[in-house]
């Protein structure tokens, strides 16, 4: 994607600057946090949006959802971004998102920018806060699949990669 787009929105919060850009020549709107793109959506796509960028069906994330579609009823997602992973949801699946940045939640939920959440998992629970803490509130064995996508090129959250964090993730699956 061409990241040199027209700015629709710029908001600064505790975790940095989040922008929504339109890229007319690519036909997409995208979310940027610092120098990292955290999701994109085709602007003119009718009906259920198709996950693109690193969430499309050919990527490891897309392949995981394809392979586990019939076995995963409860899905936890650490890191919301634009919410593109929502459109991997199948009937009967329950999604819970964990996101630290309230600006990201506001933008992902606003259908003026992105429709992944409103189209694909409108009733999903979104837990706001540090996933090391909020995921700790979930019961053991709560998820059949836990996607960790809270990383960016700007700052890797090392606390999400510790032995203690890994033990927490495993206990919730």
């Amino acid at each position: 994607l061409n990241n040199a787009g027209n700015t629709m929105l710029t908001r600064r919060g505790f975790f940095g600057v989040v922008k929504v850009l339109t890229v007319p020549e690519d036909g997409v709107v995208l979310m940027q946090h610092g120098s990292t793109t955290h999701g994109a959506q085709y602007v003119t796509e009718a009906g259920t949006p198709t996950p693109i960028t690193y969430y499309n069906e050919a990527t490891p994330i897309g392949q995981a959802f394809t392979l586990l579609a019939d076995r995963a009823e409860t899905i936890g997602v650490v890191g919301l971004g634009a919410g593109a992973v929502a459109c991997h949801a199948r009937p009967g699946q329950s999604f819970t998102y964990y996101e630290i940045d309230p600006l990201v939640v506001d933008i992902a939920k606003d259908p003026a920018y992105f429709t992944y959440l409103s189209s694909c998992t409108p009733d999903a629970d979104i837990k706001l806060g540090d996933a090391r803490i909020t995921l700790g509130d979930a019961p053991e064995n709560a998820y059949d699949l836990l996607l960790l996508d809270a990383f960016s090129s700007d700052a890797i959250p090392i606390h999400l990669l510790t032995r203690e964090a890994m033990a927490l993730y495993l206990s919730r699956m």
Side-chain angles (χ1 to χ4, degrees):
L1 293 176
N2 174 5
N3 287 346
N6 303 318
T7 302
M8 296 176 68
L9 175 74
T10 301
R11 293 185 59 194
R12 177 180 293 282
F14 182 80
F15 299 100
V17 176
V18 181
K19 293 182 181 183
V20 178
L21 306 164
T22 58
V23 186
E25 59 271 22
D26 293 334
V28 299
V29 60
L30 56 90
M31 178 190 289
Q32 276 193 322
H33 186 260
S35 64
T36 302
T37 299
H38 284 295
Q41 183 175 344
Y42 289 115
V43 177
T44 59
E45 187 173 31
T48 302
T50 302
I52 59 176
T53 65
Y54 50 90
Y55 288 108
N56 77 61
E57 289 185 8
T59 66
I61 292 171
Q63 292 171 10
F65 277 96
T66 299
L67 289 171
L68 299 172
D70 297 332
R71 295 181 287 177
E73 292 179 16
T74 56
I75 292 103
V77 180
V78 177
L80 178 61
V85 74
C87 290
H88 285 291
R90 299 264 168 61
Q93 289 180 327
S94 169
F95 276 60
T96 301
Y97 301 96
Y98 295 87
E99 175 58 50
I100 197 168
D101 192 339
L103 293 180
V104 170
V105 173
D106 291 345
I107 294 167
K109 288 175 68 174
D110 189 337
Y113 302 117
F114 300 98
T115 60
Y116 290 119
L117 293 177
S118 61
S119 295
C120 300
T121 59
D123 299 324
D125 194 10
I126 299 176
K127 306 286 188 186
L128 186 60
D130 185 328
R132 278 280 305 264
I133 297 168
T134 55
L135 187 58
D137 293 337
E140 289 195 11
N141 304 311
Y143 300 110
D144 298 316
L145 175 62
L146 184 60
L147 171 63
L148 302 175
D149 187 26
F151 304 97
S152 75
S153 59
D154 296 324
I156 298 194
I158 300 299
H159 71 288
L160 294 177
L161 299 175
T162 63
R163 285 187 178 114
E164 293 83 7
M166 294 299 158
L168 172 65
Y169 306 147
L170 291 171
S171 73
R172 297 312 183 254
M173 293 179 35

